[in-house]
Amino acid sequence: MWMESLQDLFFFIDEEGVFYALDLGGTNFRVLRVELGGKDRGVVHQEFAEASIPPALMSGSSDALFDYIAEKLASFVNDEERIYEQPAGKERELGFTFSFPVMQNSINSGTLIRWTKGFSIDDAVGQDVVVEITKALKRKGVDMRVAALINDTIGTLAGGRHSDPDVSVAVILGTGSNAAYVERAQAIPKWHGPLPKSGEMAINMEWGNFRSSHLPLTEYDSAMDAESLNPGEQIFEKLISGMYLGEILRRVLLRLAEEACFFGDEIPAKLRSPFILRTPEMSAMHHDTSPDLKVVGDKLKSVLEISHTSVKKRRVVVELINIISSRGARLAAAGILGVLKKLGKDVSKEKTIIAMDGGLYEHYTEYRKCLESTVFDLLGDATGTSVVFEHYVDGSGIGAALIAASHSLYLDDKF
Ligand code: GLC
């Protein structure tokens, strides 16, 4: 089942002023202050602060999570009061990037359908997350209005398209994974509302929840899914995204230890600990170029307490990493090809920019190279050069500020 949300976002105005963004999509969140300089100047200045969500809050209560976030927002605003003064009578306006499946009801309201990426806060499901954050902001004394609620894919698409109109697809590869694209409104049979002026709409695919009997699921995937917080959900995401690649590797190594005494007679105790092997560690091992695979040896020791591994064993570990990471990257590439095909961009000579963001894409070079080369292989020579990948750093935060600006209450001041 694919979740889609449709928004008429692309009426960017040449707004000037300061807007805020709150970007919550994983274990870290960011608050941003973005200064827009009006027509032709775009984003003239931005500042941000980042904080991580304490693990206990990922499965606590809705109030506890939103209070924590509102507190950080309060101290960000207090800090900046020294450098920036909000004009009297004008409320601060916020674009809220909330990167979980939401049933969007309007530009600034939406109910949480379910959590993904390791969050599990039952009393938030079914609630309007804008109402929740607004109540928390009030409790913490922050005077701020949520002007727009968006997803990270939509933010990246909007931020990318604002700087280059050839951006028509956005893909996030981070803790989770998802894609969004720009579609002609007339080509969307589900849309019964008024047609947007631009004639275009953004579609958030929630592709992480795609599943099909054609997906190459192994017993490791099935076991990981069954033991996860959201069994049966986000199956595509569990094959391709950063939250899960390291965990798949751990499961394979454990099996090797159990059935082939790969690490000696004893099974290393740490190998039994779910999610202990994170994707950044797996990536560091994958990129190890030292002749004796020193990084692999060091990581096995520091993370799993497995010492004295032979170079031969380390090579096997790297080969496994390569298999798991290229499977993920190639499946993600297949997803991207599907979107390009839907848009007819797989046969078009017109330039298409795919706006990319997320820690997995940014930091895991081998994964990124495999993803991009697979897309080009699948496209063949005909369109190879018209499709371009671009990394939009902070696209989702900036996109949220831009969309907040285009839905500002104070637009009438100027027009
Ligand atoms: C998960 C979320 C989705 C988000 C993606 C990338 O799949 O459900 O909304 O866009 O992660 O952060």
Side-chain angles (χ1 to χ4, degrees), residues 86-259:
Q86 182 72 10
K90 254 193 174 183
E91 208 176 358
R92 290 183 165 84
E93 291 184 302
L94 176 79
F96 183 16
T97 308
F98 181 76
S99 301
F100 299 92
V102 156
M103 183 54 71
Q104 187 109 22
N105 306 317
S106 72
I107 188 63
N108 62 355
S109 69
T111 45
L112 174 62
I113 298 173
R114 59 172 185 278
W115 290 105
T116 52
K117 299 179 280 196
F119 281 70
S120 147
I121 303 170
D122 291 346
D123 67 344
V125 176
Q127 301 301 317
D128 184 336
V129 291
V130 173
V131 171
E132 295 305 301
I133 188 70
T134 304
K135 284 196 294 197
L137 288 170
K138 204 160 253 158
R139 287 195 289 269
K140 300 293 166 192
V142 188
D143 185 22
M144 206 177 256
R145 162 184 176 265
V146 180
L149 171 69
I150 62 163
N151 179 269
D152 52 1
T153 48
I154 298 288
T156 304
L157 188 61
R161 205 170 170 83
H162 183 251
S163 53
D164 192 329
D166 290 332
V167 171
S168 45
V169 182
V171 175
I172 303 289
L173 284 160
T175 308
S177 178
N178 190 9
Y181 62 94
V182 178
E183 180 65 286
R184 284 174 305 115
Q186 273 169 331
I188 308 173
K190 273 188 182 178
W191 181 250
H192 302 299
L195 285 182
K197 278 197 215 98
S198 64
E200 289 176 329
M201 299 194 78
I203 300 199
N204 164 14
M205 297 173 72
E206 285 294 339
W207 83 5
N209 199 30
F210 174 66
R211 73 176 303 167
S212 146
S213 56
H214 297 292
L215 285 175
L217 294 180
T218 64
E219 56 192 286
Y220 304 102
D221 301 306
S222 307
M224 179 176 74
D225 174 47
E227 291 163 34
S228 71
L229 286 170
N230 51 354
E233 287 167 6
Q234 304 295 112
I235 300 298
F236 191 50
E237 180 163 274
K238 285 171 179 159
L239 289 166
I240 67 173
S241 81
M243 176 160 171
Y244 302 100
L245 298 179
E247 171 63 5
I248 300 171
L249 175 64
R250 180 195 69 84
R251 286 169 179 270
V252 176
L253 292 177
L254 176 60
R255 174 67 71 85
L256 276 181
E258 283 172 341
E259 295 192 0

Side-chain angles (χ1 to χ4, degrees), residues 48-60:
F48 72 90
E50 195 169 55
S52 54
I53 309 270
L57 291 187
M58 291 169 68
S59 54

